[in-house]
Amino acid sequence: MSATLLLFCTLAAISALLLWLVFRYRQERQYRRRPYVAPTHNNWASQLLPAQAPRHRVALLGDPGAVAATGPDPILDLLGDWQQQTGRAGTIIILGDNIYPVGLPAPEHPRRAQAEARFMALLSALRQFPGRVVLLSGNHDWNKGRPDGWAYLQRQEAFVRQHLPTAHYLPVNGTPGPVTLQLADDVLLVVLNTQWWVQRGPKPAADSKAPFRQLRQLLEANRHQRVLVAGHHPLYSNALHGGKFTAKQHVFPLTTVHKQAYVPLPVIGSLLPLYRKLVGAAEDMAHPRYRRLRRRLLRVLHDFPNVIYAAGHDHNLQYFQRHGGHYLVSGAGSKTAFVQKGGRAAFVHEHTGFFSLDFYPDQTWLRVLEPGAASEVFRLRLYPTPVPAPPVVALPRLLAQFRNR
């Protein structure tokens, strides 16, 4: 009797899981690759930018490590248009994962030629820009976090110094930071090497808690400025590294490792997404090292309203407004991946592109730029914070409220 009951419960659980997967799949098909905008910002297109030119403009481009090595590339073309419009009064920040799949190997490595060609395509596009260029490193630049990753990082930094000597590769030599760069009279950039906290093997020696104390001191001393904090790892995400998976990835879990690994493992395959959501690989928010980094960093940032934190890592575009701060995921520089709509996000899109921050004398605007006919797909004034419109009350409800008085 107990064996029959156990079998019945098992079959019921499997049936419920399969029904849930079918429901999720149908739901995802309705919104995947379409921009999602939270209802409170649905009127974004009617919000007009200031008439004058911005004092400074920042392009935030993450994960460009797979741009086309030969021929035109849509993202580099879009970045070229942004460069022409911006001129010297701008900064391009590359948010890490600059070379796929494993950064810059040694000269004798069989993948060296391909890695060098891809990186040169990016550096050649950046060389045309008369403004400032800042490059960060990501987990792929550290050989995907393997113990020899620091050597990969040092090779890449030396390569940038040789081929784009005017650029800033920050923080230098793989140190954790924070380091600062004054972009304009009242715009300060703070850079953190978030990979340092999750990296295995040799890396520059440092106190793991000291950078957060230094960051707090920096933010306290610069309350009079608009501050942009940049790192590779996001602090909020509706995508893979935030524990969000597609129905397909539950049935074909190996596609999270390789997009063509269509080995069907229904039911059992749900264990991998569950593991990455609750325990996490080293690059996931759930992993203990990443979780500590995130907790300590948010503890600081939540005390400083209007600070903007920009990251890459997840291959999509996301914007969150949390505790008075602004959190961006701009990792769609050469690849795209699933991102779940809604939740805490004000905007998400599974599409290549990047964020532009436009700093006017008394305003800060966020714009989402993507290759295509309508390059701007979202914009929002971040500072001063716009006053939300009052909710629209239906006429019958309004009359009922009046009668009840």
Side-chain angles (χ1 to χ4, degrees):
M1 187 70 175
S2 59
T4 304
L5 181 61
L6 179 62
L7 177 62
F8 175 80
C9 292
T10 303
L11 291 175
I14 292 173
S15 300
L17 176 61
L18 293 175
L19 286 172
W20 176 78
L21 289 174
V22 171
F23 171 77
R24 278 292 305 275
Y25 177 74
R26 289 172 62 88
Q27 189 182 48
E28 288 164 9
R29 287 194 63 183
Q30 295 176 3
Y31 72 79
R32 281 202 68 177
R33 299 180 180 86
R34 298 179 183 177
Y36 165 81
V37 179
T40 51
H41 301 303
N42 275 341
N43 64 339
W44 69 267
S46 64
Q47 306 301 309
L48 300 180
L49 293 166
Q52 74 271 34
R55 177 180 294 171
H56 198 81
R57 182 176 282 160
V58 176
L60 297 160
L61 178 65
D63 302 62
V67 294
T70 58
D73 182 274
I75 280 290
L76 295 184
D77 290 344
L78 179 64
L79 187 63
D81 293 340
W82 182 94
Q83 291 175 4
Q84 289 184 350
Q85 296 170 12
T86 302
R88 292 185 177 277
T91 301
I92 297 174
I93 302 176
I94 307 298
L95 294 165
D97 282 0
N98 308 320
I99 310 173
Y100 285 117
V102 293
L104 190 63
E108 65 276 8
H109 196 282
R111 286 183 173 174
R112 171 70 181 221
Q114 181 192 46
E116 201 170 299
R118 282 179 169 174
F119 201 31
M120 281 302 297
L122 175 64
L123 296 182
S124 296
L126 297 175
R127 193 176 295 121
Q128 312 304 316
F129 184 49
R132 187 184 286 106
V133 174
V134 180
L135 292 99
L136 283 64
S137 62
N139 56 306
H140 284 265
D141 303 310
W142 290 68
N143 194 17
K144 295 187 70 175
R146 296 185 179 98
D148 60 347
W150 190 18
Y152 278 69
L153 177 279
Q154 290 171 314
R155 273 195 298 270
Q156 186 178 129
E157 186 175 348
F159 193 89
V160 171
R161 283 199 302 269
Q162 178 184 356
H163 295 279
L164 192 60
T166 57
H168 302 266
Y169 201 104
L170 300 175
V172 297
N173 196 36
T175 52
V179 296
T180 61
L181 199 61
Q182 195 73 44
L183 304 184
D185 288 343
D186 64 339
V187 180
L188 180 70
L189 171 66
V190 181
V191 181
L192 290 166
N193 178 12
T194 54
Q195 181 60 25
W196 185 90
W197 280 271
V198 300
Q199 178 66 28
R200 294 174 292 156
K203 58 185 178 182
D207 178 351
S208 64
K209 295 181 180 179
F212 302 104
R213 293 193 294 268
Q214 295 166 14
L215 177 63
R216 180 176 292 278
Q217 292 167 359
L218 277 171
L219 297 180
E220 188 66 52
N222 288 279
R223 284 185 181 272
H224 62 290
Q225 299 204 70
R226 288 174 280 184
V227 179
L228 167 63
V229 180
H232 178 68
H233 293 75
L235 302 180
Y236 296 99
S237 177
N238 280 1
L240 173 67
H241 296 304
K244 308 297 184 183
F245 294 83
T246 65
K248 183 188 78 171
Q249 289 167 334
H250 281 264
V251 180
F252 303 99
L254 298 182
T255 56
T256 61
V257 180
H258 193 286
K259 286 190 175 182
Q260 303 304 318
Y262 283 99
V263 180
L265 296 169
V267 182
I268 296 174
S270 294
L271 296 177
L272 179 59
L274 186 64
Y275 170 82
R276 292 193 66 173
K277 182 178 181 67
L278 299 179
V279 181
E283 64 268 23
D284 296 333
M285 283 187 188
H287 190 275
R289 288 193 294 269
Y290 193 157
R291 190 164 61 242
R292 282 194 296 271
L293 161 67
R294 180 177 181 269
R295 183 177 65 248
R296 290 170 178 170
L297 192 47
L298 285 176
R299 193 178 295 153
V300 176
L301 295 179
H302 284 172
D303 288 342
F304 296 91
N306 294 317
V307 168
I308 302 168
Y309 178 83
H313 201 44
D314 269 315
H315 300 154
N316 32 64
L317 300 167
Q318 306 179 58
Y319 166 68
F320 300 81
Q321 188 172 21
R322 303 291 299 161
H323 299 274
H326 308 282
Y327 298 86
L328 312 179
V329 182
S330 188
S334 60
K335 297 182 177 184
T336 61
F338 169 73
V339 58
Q340 187 169 300
K341 71 171 186 175
R344 296 175 173 180
F347 171 87
V348 302
H349 197 193
E350 182 183 343
H351 200 284
T352 54
F354 59 87
F355 286 98
S356 177
L357 290 170
D358 295 357
F359 295 95
Y360 295 87
D362 56 353
Q363 297 183 30
T364 303
W365 282 80
L366 172 74
R367 295 189 301 138
V368 182
L369 306 178
E370 298 177 351
S375 61
E376 185 181 70
V377 298
F378 181 68
R379 64 174 170 265
L380 182 67
R381 193 183 75 198
L382 303 186
Y383 177 83
T385 305
V387 178
V392 178
V393 181
L395 182 59
R397 184 179 165 190
L398 187 63
L399 293 173
Q401 291 176 351
F402 179 77
R403 286 195 298 268
N404 289 336
R405 288 185 176 180

